[in-house]
């Protein structure tokens, strides 16, 4: 199934030289001098050396971000910030092939499924539009006396942004765009498994008319660089995307200076298929809602509830879909399912395959690591379907972050509403039905940040994305995300002398 890697497509930025940190506009090695390997999960080969930044580097990066915030960046007008974002969007489009191939070899996103440049550049243009539209309001007040009162929206200051590996380019842009639109500055800590496209974005930013220190990038490990950033007294806000367990660490670390925190965390999202649904759409829709990106998607609809009359038919069809998907090297354009990101994640996912079998779920597709031929060198797990899952099984409760669907039968709408919400998470949710009333009832009753009806996993810069319960605090994308990066100031002016 796997094919050879075409070396000509590998980007020039993989030139063998160790990567550096971006601090105060300069590319520098880590203060410790240490580096670590970045691995291509399709082959197990080391493709780059990354600088192992730690607390000392975070200190310098935060100082640079503070100086830029209080210095030249503060004097940028809204139109100038808009133009920075528009110019960055143009650069991302011009270099998109290189950026996406970096994600392909760094974290295993299948090249045929990376989507067009627009997914990233349009987000930057959307936020460019916001830069000129952030304003307070004049407020008629009822206080005794005579006052003119108004509000101002001001940038919170230095942002520590910590991102995961499952969509490195878009995760980085989802943080950089609101930072630049609102006039904040930042220190970005990419994930250790996939930092190459964020670093390349840093190089593109250097081509813009941007003061040094507005965007700093410190690669390194979560326990050191990430922990230092989230605890740093010079950071005003942490914007974190990652697991719920790390989210709890972030909140604890942020308590020191009570910095603001926004969290985009994990999920175990329900996808509900009613008997009246168009199964020709629901099977691939719900199936790819789990298997896309090898299930390494925070909002993957991994608890698939199917109404009893169509349960057997759905299980057979989604198993056939899973078996038909082509698993292989992420650089092969025919690949539909790439590898799991790392050896550690592979162990975690295959561990859950054994848990599912031991819990008594019926394996109807996949179920074991693929090791034949070249696949054995990478970290490949086939799309897996467990049928006859019940709510108490760990595979129905815990986030696996692999291509594993748990299919559960249900009998009526009240029952499925209750069971869909039987989770500590609240990120995504899906409904498949031809009954518009049922669609609206469930869209209202599912306690999550997003609900998709007769579709799954769509994104747009104008639509908020965030979670309830242990899936997070606040929103990314849309105008709502900007509030996470802005303080509201109230100004009172006495007008009666
Ligand atoms: P993770 O282990 O929480 O890591 C996320 C980031 O946090 C990485 O940069 C990591 O550094 C860093 N980190 C780890 N420990 C830290 C600490 N103690 N203090 C500060 N930073 C720390 O998550 P992951 O395994 O990379 O990503 C998978 C998870 O992210 C899943 O749960 C998924 O659902 C969630 N996710 C959520 C969304 C969303 O928008 N809701 C989007 C994507 C992913 P290292 O790289 O060194 O570990
Ligand atoms: Mg890698």
């Amino acid at each position: 199934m796997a094919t050879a890697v075409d070396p000509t497509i590998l980007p020039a930025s993989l030139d063998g030289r160790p990567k550096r940190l971006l601090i105060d506009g300069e590319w520098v090695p880590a203060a410790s001098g240490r580096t670590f390997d970045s691995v291509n999960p399709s082959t197990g080969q080391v493709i780059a050396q990354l600088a192992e930044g730690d607390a000392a580097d975070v200190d310098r990066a935060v100082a640079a971000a503070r100086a830029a915030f209080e210095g030249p960046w503060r004097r940028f007008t809204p139109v100038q910030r808009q133009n920075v974002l528009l110019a960055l969007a143009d650069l991302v489009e011009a270099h998109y092939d290189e950026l996406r191939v970096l994600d392909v070899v760094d974290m295993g996103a299948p090249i045929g499924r990376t989507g067009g440049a627009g997914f990233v550049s349009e987000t930057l243009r959307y936020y460019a539009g916001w830069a000129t539209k952030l304003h307070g309001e004049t407020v008629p007040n009822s206080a005794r006396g005579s006052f003119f009162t108004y509000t101002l929206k001001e940038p919170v200051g230095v942002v520590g942004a910590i991102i995961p590996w499952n969509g490195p380019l878009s995760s980085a842009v989802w943080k950089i765009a609101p930072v630049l639109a609102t006039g904040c500055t930042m220190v970005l800590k990419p994930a250790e498994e996939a930092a190459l496209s964020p670093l390349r974005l840093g190089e593109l930013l250097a081509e813009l008319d941007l003061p040094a220190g507005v965007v700093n990038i410190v690669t390194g490990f979560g326990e050191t660089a990430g922990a230092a950033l989230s605890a740093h007294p010079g950071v005003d806000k942490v914007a974190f995307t990652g697991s719920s367990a790390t989210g709890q660490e972030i909140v604890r670390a942020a308590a020191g200076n009570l910095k603001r925190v926004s969290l985009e965390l994990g999920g175990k999202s329900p996808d509900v298929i009613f008997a009246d649904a168009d199964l020709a759409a629901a099977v691939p829709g719900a199936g790819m809602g789990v298997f896309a990106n090898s299930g390494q998607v925070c909002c993957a609809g991994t608890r698939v509830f199917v109404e009893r009359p169509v349960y057997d038919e759905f299980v057979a069809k989604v198993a056939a879909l899973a078996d038909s998907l082509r698993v292989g090297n992420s650089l092969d354009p025919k690949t539909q399912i790439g590898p799991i990101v790392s050896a550690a994640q592979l162990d975690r996912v295959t561990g859950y395959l054994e848990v599912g079998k031991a819990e008594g779920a019926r394996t109807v597709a996949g179920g074991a690591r693929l090791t034949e031929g070249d696949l054995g060198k990478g970290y490949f797990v086939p799309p897996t379907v467990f049928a006859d899952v019940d709510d108490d099984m760990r595979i129905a409760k815990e986030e696996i972050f692999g291509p594993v669907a748990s299919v559960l039968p249900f009998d009526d709408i009240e029952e499925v509403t209750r069971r869909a919400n039987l989770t500590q998470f609240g990120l995504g949710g899906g409904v498949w039905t031809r009954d518009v009333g049922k669609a609206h009832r469930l869209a209202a009753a599912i306690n999550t940040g997003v609900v998709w009806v007769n579709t799954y996993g769509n994104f747009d810069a104008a639509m908020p994305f965030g979670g309830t319960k242990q899936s997070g605090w606040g929103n990314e994308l849309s105008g709502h995300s900007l509030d996470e990066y802005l303080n509201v100031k109230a100004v009172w002016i006495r007008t009666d002398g």
Side-chain angles (χ1 to χ4, degrees), residues 28 75 88 94 97 119 125 133 147 150 166 203 250 317-318 320 374 408 419 422 425 442 456 472 480 489 497:
V28 296
R75 294 188 288 276
L88 182 60
D97 271 339
F119 186 65
R125 294 207 173 91
K133 294 160 197 74
F147 303 98
Y150 61 93
N166 58 336
E203 289 173 1
I250 300 284
K317 286 184 168 164
V318 82
D374 281 348
L408 310 94
R419 291 171 61 200
L422 212 66
F425 296 113
L442 235 68
Y456 201 89
H480 297 286
K489 177 184 279 176

Side-chain angles (χ1 to χ4, degrees), residues 192-410:
E192 64 184 88
E193 289 90 350
L196 294 174
S197 64
L199 287 170
R200 187 72 185 104
L201 265 183
E203 289 173 1
L204 297 179
L205 278 160
E207 294 180 24
L208 301 176
D209 183 19
L210 200 62
V214 172
V215 178
N216 305 273
I217 306 179
V218 177
T219 51
F221 301 131
E223 298 70 28
T224 48
L229 191 57
S230 51
H232 203 291
V235 171
D236 299 297
K237 174 215 162 58
V238 174
F240 173 75
T241 303
S243 63
S244 298
T246 306
Q248 293 174 349
E249 295 288 328
I250 300 284
V251 170
R252 277 189 276 274
N257 69 335
L258 291 173
K259 57 174 68 69
R260 280 171 69 172
V261 178
S262 55
L263 304 169
E264 297 295 342
L265 307 175
K268 189 77 187 176
S269 300
D271 201 358
V272 179
I273 290 131
F274 285 99
D276 69 359
D278 174 8
L279 284 197
V283 170
M288 293 315 290
V290 181
F291 306 137
N293 211 33
S294 296
Q296 302 169 123
V297 177
C298 47
C299 54
T302 48
R303 286 186 298 140
V304 185
F305 291 94
V306 184
E307 201 168 8
R308 193 98 47 191
V310 294
Y311 178 76
D312 290 336
E313 182 185 354
F314 180 89
V315 167
K317 286 184 168 164
V318 82
L321 169 77
D323 289 338
S324 76
L325 292 169
R326 195 181 163 111
V327 182
N329 191 306
S330 54
L331 273 172
D332 180 348
K334 291 193 282 300
T335 289
Q336 292 165 296
I337 304 292
I340 300 292
V341 71
S342 65
Q345 283 296 116
L346 175 72
D347 284 349
R348 180 186 152 92
V349 173
T350 52
Y352 274 107
L353 299 182
E354 297 316 311
V355 167
K357 291 173 204 166
E359 285 180 316
R362 181 162 57 96
T363 312
V364 293
R369 178 184 178 186
L370 299 173
T371 53
E372 214 178 283
D374 281 348
L375 291 181
K377 296 180 192 147
Y379 315 130
F380 293 95
V381 172
T384 294
V385 179
F386 283 122
D388 307 345
V389 174
D390 64 50
D391 297 342
D392 297 329
M393 293 182 185
R394 284 180 60 198
I395 58 165
K397 292 196 288 204
E398 298 172 18
E399 183 177 51
I400 300 173
F401 229 54
V404 185
S406 296
V407 187
L408 310 94
F410 75 90

